[in-house]
Amino acid sequence: MKLSQRGEYALRAVLVLGMNHGSGVVRIRDIAQQQNIPRRFLEQILNDLKSAGFVLSKRGVAGGYRLQRGPNEISLADIIRHLEGPLAPVGCVSVNYYQRCSCPDEGACAIRSVMQEVRDAIVGVLEGVSVAHLCDRVRDLQGPLENPLDYII
Amino acid sequence: MKLSQRGEYALRAVLVLGMNHGSGVVRIRDIAQQQNIPRRFLEQILNDLKSAGFVLSKRGVAGGYRLQRGPNEISLADIIRHLEGPLAPVGCVSVNYYQRCSCPDEGACAIRSVMQEVRDAIVGVLEGVSVAHLCDRVRDLQGPLENPLDYII
DNA sequence: ACGATACTTGACTAAACAGGTCGAGATTCT
DNA sequence: AGAATCTCGACCTGTTTAGTCAAGTATCGT
């Protein structure tokens, strides 16, 4: 039931972009430094997020990345699904990536019915949290003390 | 967020043992056949479940496996935790297998707070379902039509 | 006591995946 | 032109997954 390192980095990166939404692009290097992510690895990940349409990039001297859609239009479920595949713990309860399993009768499978609930629970949380929500949480958690330019995400 | 094949097989096997609880032991071969699980692989898994104290075995001609504790004393969470490790999607929100992550400030990490919720959701379901519950579901799902000896789990 | 039946133990393997790293190229700004 | 930045694909190493297999040990019926 694990999120891969790759997936976690992606979320952290998107969150940084969310926090900087509206103020131009952010360089890979800055994200990597701030979030403690290996730069080369992050390049790969951002590239992937780009081809999936989550972010846009700008090349050249003042280049960097920004979100393509608004932070409130991207849910964590969207991002994780794209990077990790199904959210469901087993293929036979996945809505987006359904796959039949080897059990004798799927319709009457008790394990399946439990996993269905697990899936719904996971999706319920992840679908309900957008990048914008995440940014709100950052601000809540950091409290009123900081100056606005220096978030520790 | 995946359950491994191994984990799924383990649940199916335990469920079979749950259904037969009280009526002696069940042979590996029968479980394998009924549940469509590679026999050799299942041997390994049952052995693992045995050393973890979930099941007992009996050798020899009339040998097989049975549950060690009552079906209502074993939750799915227990089983999955033993086979797959943490239920939490990231180590930094795991209660039983906590592991610090690389983010700058764990206490103020917004992603962590979401993952916390995901963890709670997953654990909530899985901790609430025992093998006995699972057996009940089997009986519910199969409906009143079958004769008692011929469950399709 | 013997043989058939089952579990037991540990080694082995092929393929996939995770988590990165690297070099060379293409763009853009100054 | 030159520096900064993203881009693209190849590459690498270690671990995990999903099994398979052989030889061993215990138990039961006869």
Side-chain angles (χ1 to χ4, degrees):
Chain A
M1 324 286 256
K2 268 293 209 196
L3 186 66
S4 69
Q5 205 60 1
R6 191 187 175 80
E8 192 189 321
Y9 289 160
L11 293 184
R12 305 233 295 262
V14 166
L15 176 48
V16 173
L17 298 183
M19 295 301 291
N20 288 80
H21 195 60
S23 35
V25 298
V26 185
R27 289 184 303 176
I28 289 185
R29 180 184 317 175
D30 293 335
I31 304 176
Q33 245 163 42
Q34 192 185 129
Q35 289 296 310
N36 220 349
I37 300 172
R39 209 192 73 200
R40 293 296 213 153
F41 195 24
L42 182 57
E43 285 180 11
Q44 225 184 83
I45 295 168
L46 283 169
N47 222 298
D48 188 357
L49 289 173
K50 181 190 169 190
S51 45
F54 292 113
V55 303
L56 282 181
S57 66
K58 197 181 157 196
R59 279 155 104 137
V61 170
Y65 283 90
R66 66 178 183 81
L67 294 182
Q68 170 152 22
R69 295 176 274 157
N72 51 340
E73 296 175 55
I74 308 173
S75 76
L76 298 202
D78 292 338
I79 300 171
I80 295 177
R81 271 208 201 91
H82 177 255
L83 271 94
E84 314 265 304
L87 296 177
V90 293
C92 62
V93 300
S94 174
V95 173
N96 300 275
Y97 302 80
Y98 170 81
Q99 222 173 350
R100 202 195 173 326
C101 84
S102 64
C103 79
D105 179 0
E106 194 171 282
C109 178
I111 292 169
R112 182 165 183 267
S113 87
V114 176
M115 291 305 161
Q116 194 92 251
E117 289 175 26
V118 173
R119 189 208 92 95
D120 291 346
I122 295 173
V123 171
V125 175
L126 257 23
E127 210 118 74
V129 179
S130 68
V131 174
H133 288 136
L134 215 53
C135 294
D136 292 344
R137 290 203 194 204
V138 170
R139 285 181 277 259
D140 288 356
L141 286 164
Q142 306 242 130
L145 34 106
E146 327 281 332
N147 65 34
L149 285 174
D150 143 85
Y151 296 105
I152 305 170
I153 297 177
Chain B
M1 324 289 257
K2 267 288 204 202
L3 186 66
S4 68
Q5 205 61 359
R6 189 188 176 79
E8 193 190 321
Y9 289 159
L11 293 183
R12 303 230 297 261
V14 167
L15 177 47
V16 173
L17 299 182
M19 295 301 291
N20 288 81
H21 194 60
S23 35
V25 298
V26 185
R27 288 184 303 177
I28 290 184
R29 181 184 314 174
D30 293 335
I31 304 176
Q33 244 163 44
Q34 190 183 130
Q35 289 298 310
N36 219 351
I37 301 173
R39 210 193 69 197
R40 298 297 212 151
F41 195 23
L42 182 58
E43 285 181 12
Q44 222 184 85
I45 295 168
L46 283 170
N47 222 298
D48 189 358
L49 289 173
K50 182 191 167 186
S51 47
F54 291 113
V55 303
L56 282 181
S57 66
K58 197 181 155 195
R59 281 155 104 139
V61 169
Y65 285 89
R66 65 177 182 83
L67 293 184
Q68 170 152 26
R69 296 177 272 157
N72 49 340
E73 297 173 54
I74 307 173
S75 75
L76 299 201
D78 292 338
I79 300 171
I80 295 177
R81 271 207 201 90
H82 177 257
L83 271 94
E84 315 266 304
L87 296 177
V90 294
C92 62
V93 301
S94 175
V95 172
N96 299 276
Y97 302 79
Y98 171 82
Q99 224 174 347
R100 202 197 173 323
C101 85
S102 64
C103 79
D105 179 0
E106 193 172 282
C109 178
I111 292 169
R112 181 166 183 268
S113 87
V114 176
M115 290 305 160
Q116 195 92 251
E117 290 175 26
V118 173
R119 188 207 92 94
D120 291 346
I122 295 173
V123 171
V125 175
L126 257 22
E127 210 117 73
V129 179
S130 68
V131 174
H133 288 134
L134 216 51
C135 293
D136 292 345
R137 292 203 192 203
V138 170
R139 286 181 275 260
D140 287 357
L141 286 164
Q142 305 242 130
L145 34 106
E146 326 282 334
N147 65 34
L149 286 174
D150 144 86
Y151 295 106
I152 305 169
I153 296 178

